[in-house]
Amino acid sequence: MTEQTHDGNHHWPMLRSLRGWRLSALPADLTAGLTLAAIAIPEQMATAKLGGFTPETGFFAFLAGSLGFALFGANRFLSCGADSTITPIFAGGLALLAASGTPEYGSLAAALALLVGVMLVLAGGFRLGGIANLLSVPVTVGFLAGISVHIIVSQLPSVLGLPSPSGPTLARIAALAGELGKTNIYTLIIGFGVLTVTVCERISARIPGALIALVAATLFVMAAHLEARGVPVIGAISGDLPMPSMPLIGPEQWVKLVPLAFLIAVVVMMQTAATTRSFPSEPDRPADVDRDFLGAGAGSLLAGLFATFPVNASPPRTGIVVETGGRSQVAGLSAAVVVLLLVLFGARLLAHVPDAALGGVLLFVALRIIRVTQIVQVYHASKGEFLLIVATAAAIVVLPIEQGVALGIALSLLHGIWSTTRAHLITFERVPDTTIWWPAHPHIRGEELSEIAVVGFQAPLSFLNAATFRADLQHLLQRRQPRLLVLEASAMVEIDFTAAQALREVIRQCNADGIVFAVARLESLRAQAAFERFGLYDVLPRDRVFHSVDRALQKLTGPS
């Protein structure tokens, strides 16, 4: 179901990501860690703000994610912490249960983190990495585009210096449009100034554009006394570390959180799998996705115990570790130490950071996650899948966000089902002067043999397409009336009960009509097991199953 772990992994129940680490790698890891911290500090503050939490809560999420993944994950580079992809989803779901910023809201977020962590640990322990494939590429692209719109709409009030409107996303956009004349010019300059400087990170991962912009914006606010001119700042930050504890919520609230936790867990699995495959520890070995689920799950469990919110793998931050020469999770732990020191000894330095600056950082994040290139590629390659992008993005924008994500997952599954149901029977022809049988194609010259039909079905044979398979075969038999029918089964990797019954009926019909039925290239082990399990050999003699079409013809008709 998922990538296999390589030999010897069972000897490393913890700290797998540090296997083979040498002291000589410390300078490179420290350098990468410092760069990662410079990128993560403003990003984690901004993401916490996006979810309705205090800035230090984002720091604690980063600490939990970094430590949990370093202890139990496998990937050497992956950065785990507060993430702008999942934050709007769970913030929207939690807002239905408690007011943002209240103690109950924080307790629910911590409980959600624990549930997500448990689900991820179970997924990793039971090797359910295939769940990460629930979202197809078009649905993922549409999902990220919709999330981007949510982030932009949520942060524009801070950047424009306007009150944040409530209600559905489209209503909030309309409300903001009607208030544009009241924009605070100072917050506008700060927000878009930070956005402009943060783009430097696109030029080089070694340039901490967000941190530079945040420092510059803070100095600007302090020097120009802009707080007196209506520029809000984040205010005092507590330098106290939370003590581990269980969130105090009732049993019924735990139950209400389960559907939301499942949605978050699926998105985290999808993004964790994509990150670890994009930045593998060892390019010549398969990624251990399941083990990385354990790492991400451990991060969320720690986050829940320390009163913060679910964490996720970050592709951009992971890319920074790779690009700056990081060798292991020591880079992520070094960044976590820097963040911890900032919380303990530098919290007062953050009191004058303007909200508009964090909004500018989040605008950059929102624009970064829109995959424009992929949208263009899908549009040119498949108009139908482009509509899937549009539908997913629209659902997430128009509907409550957690419902939109659920609909996106449903669209992805329906798209997969629809693709399977489109399969039809195809005719094979022999390539002249060879023993090769190939699907008939208008641009490839082939030849048919009289009274012989060679057909194939290029999809798993299941209840979704069994009726089509049977109808196509019956139509072929009526149209051609062959003496020998060979089913080329190399693409039939799976056969379920419904499909087996349809195949049994076709074989029986052939036997009754005096048509010799044979199977060639039944290569899939699962399909072979299905033949045994569903009793297909009761109607098809075992000596009618061949390794090739040519061998079947030689055996059943003589040299052709």
Side-chain angles (χ1 to χ4, degrees), residues 108 114 158 305 334 353 397 438 472:
L108 289 170
L114 291 174
S158 295
L305 291 175
S334 300
V353 173
V397 171
W438 201 258
D472 287 354

Side-chain angles (χ1 to χ4, degrees), residues 347-368:
R348 293 179 60 187
L349 300 175
L350 304 174
H352 297 283
V353 173
D355 286 343
L358 297 180
V361 172
L362 286 169
L363 290 181
F364 169 74
V365 171
L367 296 175
R368 182 177 63 188

Side-chain angles (χ1 to χ4, degrees), residues 501-560:
Q501 298 310 300
L503 183 56
R504 177 192 289 269
E505 291 304 315
V506 168
I507 296 172
R508 282 177 173 168
Q509 179 182 341
C510 287
N511 293 339
D513 294 343
I515 300 171
V516 178
F517 188 97
V519 175
R521 299 188 65 192
L522 185 67
E523 300 171 359
S524 166
L525 295 179
R526 297 200 301 275
Q528 292 174 25
F531 263 63
E532 297 280 1
R533 187 168 64 253
F534 299 130
L536 290 172
Y537 288 122
D538 295 342
V539 294
L540 179 70
R542 292 177 184 270
D543 60 3
R544 298 269 185 88
V545 178
F546 299 92
H547 290 148
S548 69
V549 173
D550 186 66
R551 181 61 179 161
L553 299 185
Q554 289 181 15
K555 190 72 173 178
L556 298 175
T557 67
S560 58

Side-chain angles (χ1 to χ4, degrees), residues 266-491:
V266 170
V267 176
V268 171
M269 283 188 273
M270 178 269 294
Q271 189 155 305
T272 299
T275 304
T276 197
R277 289 166 181 160
S278 299
F279 303 98
S281 299
E282 300 171 87
D284 58 336
R285 293 179 181 269
D288 192 351
V289 172
D290 294 302
R291 186 56 186 251
D292 289 337
F293 288 171
L294 287 177
S300 275
L301 287 173
L302 285 177
L305 291 175
F306 284 92
T308 179
F309 47 81
V311 296
N312 193 10
S314 169
R317 292 201 308 271
T318 303
I320 287 166
V321 174
V322 173
E323 292 176 31
T324 54
R327 307 284 181 83
S328 71
Q329 284 295 326
V330 171
L333 293 173
S334 300
V337 170
V338 173
V339 171
L340 177 61
L341 293 175
L342 177 64
V343 171
L344 294 176
F345 305 109
R348 293 179 60 187
L349 300 175
L350 304 174
H352 297 283
V353 173
D355 286 343
L358 297 180
V361 172
L362 286 169
L363 290 181
F364 169 74
V365 171
L367 296 175
R368 182 177 63 188
I369 66 176
I370 299 177
R371 300 179 179 178
V372 177
T373 301
Q374 280 188 308
I375 293 174
V376 173
Q377 289 174 342
V378 172
Y379 175 78
H380 289 296
S382 173
K383 297 298 189 294
E385 291 183 281
F386 174 76
L387 292 178
L388 199 58
I389 294 177
V390 174
T392 304
I396 291 176
V397 171
V398 174
L399 299 175
I401 190 167
E402 67 282 359
Q403 294 180 20
V405 173
L407 181 59
I409 294 175
L411 286 173
S412 186
L413 295 175
L414 289 172
H415 176 245
I417 292 171
W418 177 73
S419 298
T420 301
T421 58
R422 292 177 65 199
H424 281 274
L425 201 71
I426 59 171
T427 301
F428 280 65
E429 297 177 339
R430 187 169 65 180
V431 178
D433 303 320
T434 73
T435 61
I436 298 172
W437 286 79
W438 201 258
H441 193 280
H443 301 302
I444 299 177
R445 186 168 64 91
E447 57 187 22
E448 294 182 348
L449 301 183
S450 61
E451 298 187 322
I452 295 173
V454 180
V455 297
F457 197 75
Q458 296 184 321
L461 196 56
S462 72
F463 71 96
L464 295 170
N465 50 34
T468 301
F469 170 78
R470 182 176 179 179
D472 287 354
L473 263 177
Q474 290 173 335
H475 178 71
L476 175 84
L477 295 176
Q478 292 173 0
R479 179 169 53 86
R480 293 187 52 182
Q481 298 180 342
R483 181 170 56 86
L484 170 63
L485 175 64
V486 180
L487 176 62
E488 206 275 5
S490 61

